[in-house]
Amino acid sequence: MSVTRSGPLPSGDGDGDGASYDVVVVGAGVVGSAIARALARHPLRVALVEAADDVGDGTSKANTAILHTGFDAVPGTLEARLVREGHRLLSAYARETGIPVEPLGALLVAWDEEQRAALPRLAEKAARNGHRTTRLLSAAELRAREPHLGPGALAALDVPGESVICPWTTTLAYATQAVRSGVDLHLGCRVEAVRPGEPHHTLVTRRGVLRARHLVNACGLHADAFDALVGREDFTVTPRRGQLLVFDTFARDLVRHILLPVPGPLGKGVLITPTVYGNVLLGPTAEDLHDKTATGTTAEGLAGLREQGGRILPALLDEEVTAVYAGLRAATGQEDYRITAHPELRYVTVGGIRSTGLTASLAIAEHVRGLLADCGLDPGPERPLAPLRMPNLGEAFARPYRDARLIARDPDFGTIVCHCERVTRAEIRSALASTIPPGGLDGLRRRTRARGGRCQGQYCGAEVRALFEEYGEGAR
């Protein structure tokens, strides 16, 4: 196993044509990392290749972080099946590995008569998706459950089982377990050309050449562009921007559930949800763009979110905004995933994975493993994966700064560096020495929460940077 970030890729067998793999998975977001982890169960040579300098650096890092039940998926679609199965698999995996999850439940709130009339149909849709525990709530019941809701809420659909999860830890867990189980991870390794061939495809990257008997496209926003490299033009990805506001932890007591709107034609709409980090999220917008790099926020978008949030939860606007961010989802004009096997090319495309990709990730990985077998891959016998326990980033669980036994073993766990998020020196040091260390300060934030609080690093930034320089890859 290896993790590389720069320099020439490992050579192969001395023939100058690059290292050879049974499978190369391109794209180390939550889906690509899950696929690499699934393949690591077998005696295969697998590479996970990512253009960015860290795993989970695209769509996977900027979403609403909800573990969906799939109650509102289109019945009968591949997405509906994989989200339902993924919810079960990821819930169990989170318990096993320590990924923070909070099962808050969701309330689908109706604000006008048309929306209220839609609630029974949504309950029927949920039942067709195998989710039979939804219940209609009257305005009085809704108000008792969420006393800070704005005026005018008429009714709601109660959806038990919807949860919030840490998306950063999930992607990192998959990739870490894959690497510890033998997968090679190559970061900063954008694929620029593919030469299909027999018995190997040749991938030309910015860092050199790789060869792959089988190839998986998990490129997210760029899945259509990668398809074109192997001669496929089956769909086009339209980046759909979602802007979000992050409110300070003082807002957390205002909301008890995930508050969902009745879905519209562009998606699930604007929601309000707690996070596992103790904040409150408002968003996302849904803006179809042409630029796949347009992750900036806009004054218009954020003003629109505040207007909608003020109607849903008026007191929220009195709270401090800690951060704003935007993510891009891969819309393809079809209300389903675009997962397709191309046996003649020994190639699988995993495209059109939108907001439910986090939830469905483990189920998608199992599905892709089967599709690779249809493409001629003989995976061999299964073997256990390397054991894994992830550091806890969730506020509802024991954080290191409060763990006396941990501090007794290492006093640095009692030395807080980031006071807003209560991140200790030992947590930062451990992240920098981990299997997949961060490539920069943003990656360190996703592993520890350092610099993610109300001061956004103004107080702790210098010390965090000093620790990064002392213990990071550049210091080794």
Side-chain angles (χ1 to χ4, degrees), residues 5 53-54 57 61 168 417 423 428 431-432 437-452 456-458 460-473:
R5 250 196 189 92
D53 70 354
D54 202 355
D57 195 55
K61 74 178 180 184
W168 306 331
V417 175
V423 181
I428 294 172
L432 293 169
L441 293 177
D442 283 345
L444 181 60
R445 176 176 54 83
R446 293 195 293 273
R447 286 162 174 79
T448 64
R449 292 173 48 180
R451 298 167 57 252
Q456 291 290 289
Q458 292 187 44
C460 67
E463 187 172 359
V464 171
R465 181 175 289 278
L467 289 170
F468 185 87
E469 292 172 354
E470 180 179 358
Y471 294 105
E473 284 189 311

Side-chain angles (χ1 to χ4, degrees), residues 129-148:
N129 282 319
H131 194 73
R132 297 180 174 84
T133 58
T134 62
R135 186 171 71 90
L136 294 173
L137 301 181
S138 67
E141 290 175 299
L142 173 59
R143 183 69 54 187
R145 298 274 289 270
E146 287 289 353
H148 296 286

Side-chain angles (χ1 to χ4, degrees), residues 193-274:
V194 177
R195 296 195 292 269
E198 181 69 46
H200 291 94
H201 305 306
T202 300
L203 284 73
V204 181
T205 83
R206 290 184 177 178
R207 294 179 50 207
V209 172
L210 296 172
R211 294 185 297 167
R213 289 176 52 230
H214 293 80
L215 193 54
V216 177
N217 170 2
C219 295
L221 289 168
H222 303 282
D224 55 345
F226 192 90
D227 257 9
L229 294 181
V230 297
R232 304 295 310 188
E233 295 183 359
D234 299 329
F235 60 89
T236 298
V237 173
T238 299
R240 181 168 293 164
R241 181 167 60 189
Q243 302 183 50
L244 296 107
L245 290 163
V246 183
F247 287 85
D248 192 76
T249 53
F250 288 120
R252 179 61 183 83
D253 290 339
L254 295 176
V255 58
R256 302 172 181 174
H257 305 77
I258 302 165
L259 300 180
L260 300 173
V262 175
L266 286 179
K268 299 181 185 299
V270 172
L271 58 85
I272 293 176
T273 180

Side-chain angles (χ1 to χ4, degrees), residues 243-462:
Q243 302 183 50
L244 296 107
L245 290 163
V246 183
F247 287 85
D248 192 76
T249 53
F250 288 120
R252 179 61 183 83
D253 290 339
L254 295 176
V255 58
R256 302 172 181 174
H257 305 77
I258 302 165
L259 300 180
L260 300 173
V262 175
L266 286 179
K268 299 181 185 299
V270 172
L271 58 85
I272 293 176
T273 180
T275 74
V276 294
Y277 320 114
N279 303 99
V280 175
L281 282 184
L282 168 62
T285 59
E287 311 155 54
D288 285 347
L289 307 173
H290 298 291
D291 184 357
K292 293 181 180 180
T293 66
T295 56
T297 57
T298 67
E300 180 183 13
L302 299 179
L305 287 178
R306 290 183 65 87
E307 181 182 354
Q308 294 184 67
R311 289 198 297 267
I312 300 168
L313 206 67
L316 187 63
L317 299 190
D318 296 328
E319 301 296 333
E320 184 176 345
V321 172
T322 298
V324 299
Y325 67 93
L328 298 173
R329 286 104 72 192
T332 64
Q334 176 178 299
E335 293 300 307
D336 203 356
Y337 296 158
R338 300 291 189 109
I339 303 178
T340 308
H342 304 283
E344 72 284 0
L345 290 170
R346 306 185 311 283
Y347 172 63
V348 177
T349 298
V350 187
I353 311 299
R354 299 164 300 150
S355 59
T356 55
L358 170 61
T359 301
S361 52
L362 290 176
I364 292 171
E366 293 304 307
H367 182 62
V368 170
R369 191 163 59 145
L371 292 178
L372 284 168
D374 294 341
C375 292
L377 177 67
D378 179 6
E382 284 202 32
R383 60 189 183 184
L385 292 166
L388 181 71
R389 190 73 183 175
M390 297 301 291
N392 169 53
L393 301 187
E395 278 299 301
F397 308 90
R399 297 281 304 284
Y401 76 94
R402 301 179 67 178
D403 189 331
R405 287 181 297 179
L406 194 61
I407 294 167
R409 291 200 302 268
D410 184 345
D412 274 358
F413 279 111
T415 304
I416 293 177
V417 175
C418 172
H419 287 263
C420 295
E421 297 295 279
R422 298 178 180 87
V423 181
T424 66
R425 180 183 177 92
E427 288 174 275
I428 294 172
R429 195 188 66 215
S430 297
L432 293 169
S434 63
T435 302
I436 307 174
L441 293 177
D442 283 345
L444 181 60
R445 176 176 54 83
R446 293 195 293 273
R447 286 162 174 79
T448 64
R449 292 173 48 180
R451 298 167 57 252
R454 63 178 62 96
C455 86
Q456 291 290 289
Q458 292 187 44
Y459 179 80
C460 67

Side-chain angles (χ1 to χ4, degrees), residues 64-146:
T64 52
I66 294 175
L67 180 55
H68 294 285
T69 59
F71 78 97
D72 58 347
V74 178
T77 59
L78 179 63
E79 180 179 15
R81 177 170 69 82
L82 295 181
V83 170
R84 184 169 61 247
E85 179 67 7
H87 181 274
R88 181 184 67 80
L89 291 172
L90 183 48
S91 296
Y93 184 73
R95 289 191 295 271
E96 173 190 330
T97 59
I99 298 169
V101 174
E102 289 187 57
L104 303 175
L107 297 175
L108 198 70
V109 180
W111 296 90
D112 58 39
E113 290 298 338
E114 183 178 356
Q115 292 179 1
R116 177 157 63 177
L119 294 182
R121 295 194 297 271
L122 289 166
E124 293 168 7
K125 185 179 186 181
R128 293 201 303 275
N129 282 319
H131 194 73
R132 297 180 174 84
T133 58
T134 62
R135 186 171 71 90
L136 294 173
L137 301 181
S138 67
E141 290 175 299
L142 173 59
R143 183 69 54 187
R145 298 274 289 270
E146 287 289 353

